[in-house]
Amino acid sequence: MVDALAGFDYRIDLPPLPATPADGSLIKQGAELAREAETMIGRSPRGVTARALAEQWEQTFGLVAAAVELPDGLDGLSWDSGDFRLILVARTHLWTRQRFTLAHELGHILAGDAVERPLAEHVTPSTDQALAEVRANAFAAELLMPRSELLETVTAHARLDKQALLSLSWEYLVSPSAMATRLHALEIISDDERRQWSACTTRMAALHTGDPGPHMQYAQQADDGWYSTRLAKLAISAYVHGDISIRLVATVTGMDPDQLLDLFHPGPDTLDDGPHGTSATSPAELAFSP
């Protein structure tokens, strides 16, 4: 799809990536790389869903990112071919896992781990992994739960107990296990507390807020999957300028071509699947924003 659009001169710009730190442990390298990424992104990830994060990161780093059906046991895939930067995450109702995987794969892209070939993997947020995985996990933890921001948030809690952990995990949209691991890594809680609190679930965190509705919405969106907004907008632009048919837009978005034609050309005259000169700023184009 990227190649097809590039053939009509619709290309995704590839901005320079931050340099991977060479000094210190892999955990320190991952954290430092995440802080550089935070500066480039310019906004906090706290409370932002996986799809919205993907849209931000597509703009910042020139990515194509989507949640799609992947083979069993495969959580994510990353690849920097030199012509495009790709991140795929698996469709799953475990939305906090999908969000962590998205950040983990971004860590691989920025560290240059996925340059020679696509890197497909089962992601686990522990440090008992291969060297590149240690760095990618440290990157994801720092990016999703920034040290300085998290320390400030923690001080707002009079007492750091299991209930506070549930509140923190929901506020940062990570699993209680990931939050407990992060708090232990920052030497805020003991290893015993980490082990005990890691048994908590995201559902428990959602119930703790008193409004579990968003938990179900996030799970549904993660399980349904989502397409690359950046790639979709390129395809839509190519269509409305008459360069491609509606079928490539359908391929990018996963939508039915006839439904797309109804969006672009409401009314009885929607049988032709070719472009009709719709304005590039029409409401149809805006319909593809997450």
Side-chain angles (χ1 to χ4, degrees):
M1 290 184 282
V2 171
D3 288 344
L5 289 167
F8 292 98
D9 207 27
Y10 293 90
R11 303 176 189 277
I12 296 177
D13 295 330
L14 299 181
L17 299 180
T20 304
D23 298 328
S25 68
L26 288 169
I27 292 177
K28 289 183 178 179
Q29 289 179 17
E32 177 60 30
L33 187 59
R35 285 189 284 270
E36 293 183 31
E38 290 167 24
T39 300
M40 293 179 65
I41 297 165
R43 60 186 88 175
S44 171
R46 181 165 49 171
V48 183
T49 64
R51 182 173 188 177
L53 286 178
E55 184 178 15
Q56 291 177 12
W57 300 348
E58 281 188 324
Q59 294 296 324
T60 303
F61 304 111
L63 302 173
V64 171
V68 299
E69 193 71 39
L70 293 179
D72 291 343
L74 186 61
D75 293 323
L77 178 147
S78 50
W79 188 20
D80 184 347
S81 73
D83 296 320
F84 70 96
R85 297 164 183 158
L86 173 69
I87 293 179
L88 299 179
V89 292
R91 291 171 49 186
T92 173
H93 68 281
L94 301 174
W95 58 270
T96 54
R97 184 181 186 86
Q98 185 187 81
R99 194 169 176 272
F100 188 92
T101 299
L102 180 69
H104 178 101
E105 298 302 333
L106 178 62
H108 281 311
I109 292 287
L110 299 191
D113 298 329
V115 171
E116 294 184 1
R117 60 182 177 81
L119 180 61
E121 59 185 346
H122 174 71
V123 176
T124 55
S126 70
T127 56
D128 186 21
Q129 301 288 317
L131 297 182
E133 301 308 303
V134 172
R135 183 169 54 201
N137 278 338
F139 174 91
E142 174 64 34
L143 190 65
L144 298 180
M145 297 166 280
R147 181 181 185 278
S148 58
E149 189 176 335
L150 182 57
L151 291 176
E152 184 177 340
T153 309
V154 166
T155 60
H157 290 270
R159 180 184 176 189
L160 194 58
D161 55 12
K162 186 171 75 172
Q163 300 307 308
L165 173 87
L166 293 175
S167 296
L168 287 168
S169 66
W170 186 258
E171 186 174 352
Y172 283 83
L173 297 188
V174 298
S175 69
S177 176
M179 178 57 71
T181 299
R182 180 65 169 155
L183 292 174
H184 176 254
L186 296 177
E187 299 182 347
I188 297 174
I189 64 174
S190 68
D191 192 46
D192 284 342
E193 289 171 318
R194 178 193 64 79
R195 287 198 299 269
Q196 293 173 17
W197 297 351
S198 289
C200 297
T201 64
T202 301
R203 179 176 178 274
M204 292 169 62
L207 292 173
H208 176 69
T209 69
D211 181 16
H215 172 56
M216 302 301 295
Q217 295 169 9
Y218 299 158
Q220 187 66 57
Q221 183 182 73
D223 201 30
D224 287 345
W226 33 268
Y227 53 79
S228 164
T229 301
R230 190 75 180 275
L231 196 59
K233 286 183 176 180
L234 272 186
I236 291 165
S237 181
Y239 173 73
V240 299
H241 284 96
D243 293 320
I244 64 172
S245 80
I246 198 66
R247 299 194 182 281
L248 183 55
V249 182
T251 301
V252 170
T253 62
M255 297 180 67
D256 181 84
D258 292 332
Q259 290 179 332
L260 287 171
L261 285 173
D262 287 340
L263 286 173
F264 279 98
H265 317 290
D269 300 323
T270 59
L271 298 179
D272 183 4
D273 78 342
H276 294 267
T278 305
S279 168
T281 56
S282 69
E285 179 172 358
L286 302 179
F288 293 93
S289 296

